[in-house]
């Protein structure tokens, strides 16, 4: 089984010390820095915008994984690219012309991801799965860190992997929300490739060690 990749979510970091937090991640074994952008419309919370991502980009040496929890993603895709995005994920539920949005992301040379809320069936991706690099399966309802993991996520990973295999596409499955050492191994065994972890990493006494422990499962 391939190594699981870890994407700590900066949402749980100390924003009063953002440079130190990013430098801590730079010196860790994290694979990505996950960046949660919320608009207060698609989700009932507002996180931060491009002045903050610019500060993150200034210090980050790890690839940036942008997760857009916003209604109108299209006007902001090129800004995400300019702010260092290696992956941009948009929500299935927020994109009326998802195929067009995916093509717009890929045309900038950035990997395209689609995020699914817990209630959204993976089967809805059947006609677009070959165009996607990453699927984020939300294992909590998006909007907040520190929520409880939703157990049905395991079934969704298995179904999505079957769908990807049937189409012969090398899709990366990313799990976002409530990830910890209590579910990381089971998520890996179900077929996950990337685990996002916010509060579990940043609330731990040794975040770098916690990142390594998640990688080691
Ligand atoms: C939730 C965000 C997550 C969040 C995860 O809406 O998309 O990325 O930061 O936080 P934890 O790991 O604390 O559930
Ligand atoms: Zn996220």
């Amino acid at each position: 089984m391939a190594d699981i990749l870890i994407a700590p979510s900066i949402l749980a970091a100390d924003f009063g010390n953002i440079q130190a937090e990013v430098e801590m991640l730079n010196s860790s074994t994290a694979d990505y820095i996950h960046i949660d952008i919320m608009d207060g419309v698609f989700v009932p919370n507002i996180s931060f915008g491009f002045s903050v991502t610019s500060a993150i980009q200034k210090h980050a040496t790890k690839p940036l994984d942008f997760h857009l929890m916003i209604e109108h993603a299209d006007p902001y895709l090129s800004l995400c690219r300019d702010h260092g995005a290696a992956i941009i994920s948009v929500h299935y539920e927020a994109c009326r012309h998802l195929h067009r949005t995916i093509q717009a992301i890929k045309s900038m040379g950035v990997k395209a991801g689609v995020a699914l809320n817990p209630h959204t069936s993976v089967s809805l991706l059947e006609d677009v799965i070959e165009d996607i690099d990453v699927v984020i399966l939300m294992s909590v309802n998006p909007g907040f860190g520190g929520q409880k993991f939703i157990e049905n996520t395991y079934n969704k990973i298995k179904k999505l992997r079957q769908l990807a295999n049937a189409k012969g596409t090398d899709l990366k499955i990313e799990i976002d929300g409530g990830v910890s050492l209590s579910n990381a191994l089971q998520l890996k065994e179900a077929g996950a490739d990337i685990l996002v972890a916010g509060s579990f990493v940043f609330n731990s006494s040794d975040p770098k060690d916690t990142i390594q422990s998640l990688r080691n499962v």
Side-chain angles (χ1 to χ4, degrees), residues 96-111:
R96 187 171 288 177
H97 300 286
L98 182 62
H99 184 272
R100 178 185 290 155
T101 302
I102 291 164
Q103 301 312 322
I105 296 170
K106 297 210 308 188
S107 73
M108 302 186 304
V110 176
K111 287 196 187 328

Side-chain angles (χ1 to χ4, degrees), residues 34 36 67 69 176:
H34 184 83
D36 287 307
H67 176 196
M69 285 160 275
D176 188 5

